[in-house]
Amino acid sequence: MILAFDTPYRPLTSRPFLSDSTYAEYLPGEALRPYVSCFWASGISGVEVAAPEAAVPEAAGRETALLAGTVRVIPDTCMDIIIEINHTRQSISSRLCGLQDCTFMVEQGRGGDRVTKIAARFYFWSARLFLDLELGETANRVLDLELVQPGCNREFEPLFYHRSMGESISWLEGYLLERLETNRYNPNLYNSIDYLLRAGGNAVVKDICANSCVSQRQMERLFKQNIGLPIKRIASLVRYQNVWGEVVRRERFEIMDAVHRYGYADQAHLLNDFKRFHGIWPEQARRAALDWR
């Protein structure tokens, strides 16, 4: 089974143009593209300053230049598996970053260890197909992957010996393909996700459920177990991400067109909804993103 939705969905971080010697993204091969938004990697001489678990501190690795400073982490509708290779201590650790539905700021600092991070960023609909884990308790959290998938850190040890990032990414692709469990696929769930994506997030819960002929109670259970957030919250995040994509990718953002396209009541509704998720107004967010181009 290979997922194929009618409308391509391309979620973004707060700094989608960031690419330098400290951070890079890699497009997955064809077999993983329906499931993995990208692979990313970074190399630093230090670690981030810790924050409370509920704030998803390691999720900042998705979008950081990995320099001292503050990073805005936004809901990108993705889940990350982050593998941290500490060359100084000769150790490997790994984390699962659950979906987040709010924005927050993360302070970054420096330490003495030489660390490389390699990660896979999964779309919200696909992480469950690679993890033997129900996702109901993962939202807005960072979990030690070794605790929920025992033995994984030992499996990641070949990453110590690769001579290039390309070699490491290729190995990680093979690792994930071996763990893709298509028997976790639920057609009712994915029919609903397809409907939601085609609507750009502008869909009400009862219509999403009716499209798959499934009761709302059952569909909410499917979303909770396989994604981690309720249907309505996922729809709101998808709509926000579609708006963010237009704000940052287009030469000129036509707000009234977006109001009608995504079903907002008026301009104020769109602006307030965007700020609720992003933390700042669209024009401010665009300027901040372009600073990293």
Side-chain angles (χ1 to χ4, degrees):
M1 179 275 300
I2 297 178
L3 297 179
F5 296 123
D6 288 344
T7 301
Y9 176 64
R10 298 288 179 267
L12 300 174
T13 65
S14 68
R15 296 190 283 185
F17 305 115
L18 174 61
S19 182
D20 58 22
S21 60
T22 64
Y23 176 91
E25 294 183 359
Y26 303 82
L27 188 67
E30 290 286 347
L32 283 176
R33 286 182 193 176
Y35 315 102
V36 177
S37 173
C38 72
F39 294 102
W40 60 263
S42 66
I44 59 173
S45 298
V47 295
E48 288 86 2
V49 173
E53 182 187 34
V56 198
E58 285 293 333
R62 303 174 187 166
E63 52 185 10
T64 177
L66 297 171
L67 301 173
T70 304
V71 173
R72 179 178 301 278
V73 182
I74 64 172
D76 61 4
T77 68
C78 290
M79 296 183 67
D80 285 23
I81 286 179
I82 301 176
I83 305 165
E84 186 173 290
I85 306 165
N86 190 312
H87 304 281
T88 303
R89 303 173 188 270
Q90 288 293 290
S91 64
I92 286 184
S93 60
S94 56
R95 294 171 173 82
L96 172 66
C97 300
L99 287 182
Q100 64 195 73
D101 61 2
C102 59
T103 189
F104 54 89
M105 307 301 291
V106 172
E107 288 291 335
Q108 296 178 316
R110 291 183 177 276
D113 291 354
R114 189 167 68 88
V115 175
T116 299
K117 291 181 181 179
I118 304 172
R121 181 177 299 154
F122 300 92
Y123 294 112
F124 68 85
W125 59 78
S126 61
R128 178 73 175 90
L129 301 177
F130 297 87
L131 296 167
D132 185 17
L133 174 71
E134 290 191 358
L135 302 181
E137 302 302 322
T138 63
N140 295 309
R141 296 182 64 193
V142 171
L143 303 176
D144 185 333
L145 190 61
E146 178 68 23
L147 295 181
V148 295
Q149 305 281 271
C152 65
N153 288 344
R154 181 177 294 277
E155 293 174 346
F156 295 146
E157 287 181 357
L159 293 169
F160 268 126
Y161 308 106
H162 295 159
R163 297 184 178 183
S164 69
M165 192 55 65
E167 188 178 354
S168 294
I169 296 298
S170 179
W171 180 89
L172 187 53
E173 278 200 315
Y175 175 87
L176 291 176
L177 284 171
E178 289 180 359
R179 281 150 185 79
L180 176 59
E181 291 287 349
T182 58
N183 62 350
R184 298 193 186 113
Y185 169 85
N186 185 294
N188 292 325
L189 175 66
Y190 287 102
N191 284 340
S192 296
I193 292 171
D194 184 59
Y195 179 88
L196 190 157
L197 293 178
R198 284 189 285 110
N202 179 24
V204 297
V205 174
K206 67 180 180 64
D207 292 339
I208 295 172
C209 298
N211 178 71
S212 296
C213 300
V214 173
S215 71
Q216 182 172 336
R217 183 175 180 179
Q218 182 179 351
M219 189 61 72
E220 290 286 8
R221 185 167 60 250
L222 287 173
F223 267 72
K224 186 73 170 177
Q225 291 174 345
N226 293 279
I227 295 174
L229 287 173
I231 305 171
K232 186 176 180 179
R233 198 62 166 174
I234 290 293
S236 296
L237 291 171
V238 168
R239 182 165 70 164
Y240 151 72
Q241 271 289 329
N242 276 294
V243 171
W244 173 224
E246 292 193 14
V247 168
V248 78
R249 289 188 178 116
R250 295 190 175 187
E251 193 68 29
R252 179 180 175 83
F253 175 57
E254 299 291 348
I255 188 169
M256 290 311 299
D257 288 348
V259 165
H260 295 299
R261 185 160 40 252
Y262 297 112
Y264 290 97
D266 51 30
Q267 178 174 320
H269 183 198
L270 184 151
L271 291 173
N272 289 327
D273 192 68
F274 184 93
K275 188 178 182 183
R276 175 166 63 107
F277 287 124
H278 208 101
I280 52 179
W281 302 111
E283 186 55 38
Q284 294 173 306
R286 175 182 168 83
R287 287 197 302 269
L290 293 178
D291 283 344
W292 292 91
R293 174 171 281 177

